Amino acid sequence: MVTDLKQWHNATGLSKLWVYTMDEQGRQFTFEIVANDGRGKLVSVIVEGLALDPACETSLQQFPDVVSDAVAACGITELETKKISPA
């Protein structure tokens, strides 16, 4: 479940979104997303104080529905969860 949601915007249209959640075992998660013009990128997930890099964790390629719903409610319609490596 989503326990809190914080959003920051600047004048150029850039924004950050933090979605705070708790799972059924009581573990706390924070999803940090940067966005611009409705497009976002997951930059970190913090689980019980331990930061995970979404580019390295294949389990973070898909969001829980409650996080996806919270992100969409903030106007972010496209969300990238994996880092694209330069060729």
Side-chain angles (χ1 to χ4, degrees):
M1 81 171 142
V2 174
T3 59
D4 198 7
L5 186 126
K6 294 186 180 179
Q7 195 169 16
W8 169 87
H9 299 279
N10 74 10
T12 65
L14 297 175
S15 64
K16 271 194 167 185
L17 177 66
W18 295 270
V19 182
Y20 301 91
T21 65
M22 184 179 296
D23 71 4
E24 50 279 340
Q25 283 83 35
R27 294 177 296 192
Q28 297 178 346
F29 295 75
T30 304
F31 295 83
E32 182 179 359
I33 297 152
V34 295
N36 189 11
D37 294 328
R39 300 169 107 179
K41 180 175 183 176
L42 178 66
V43 292
S44 76
V45 176
I46 300 170
V47 181
E48 294 285 308
L50 176 65
L52 303 175
D53 181 353
C56 298
E57 298 289 332
T58 57
S59 63
L60 300 175
Q61 300 298 315
Q62 192 157 5
F63 285 107
D65 289 340
V66 294
V67 175
S68 296
D69 293 346
V71 169
C74 291
I76 300 171
T77 56
E78 293 180 39
L79 189 58
E80 179 185 335
T81 58
K82 61 183 176 180
K83 184 176 181 179
I84 299 172
S85 301

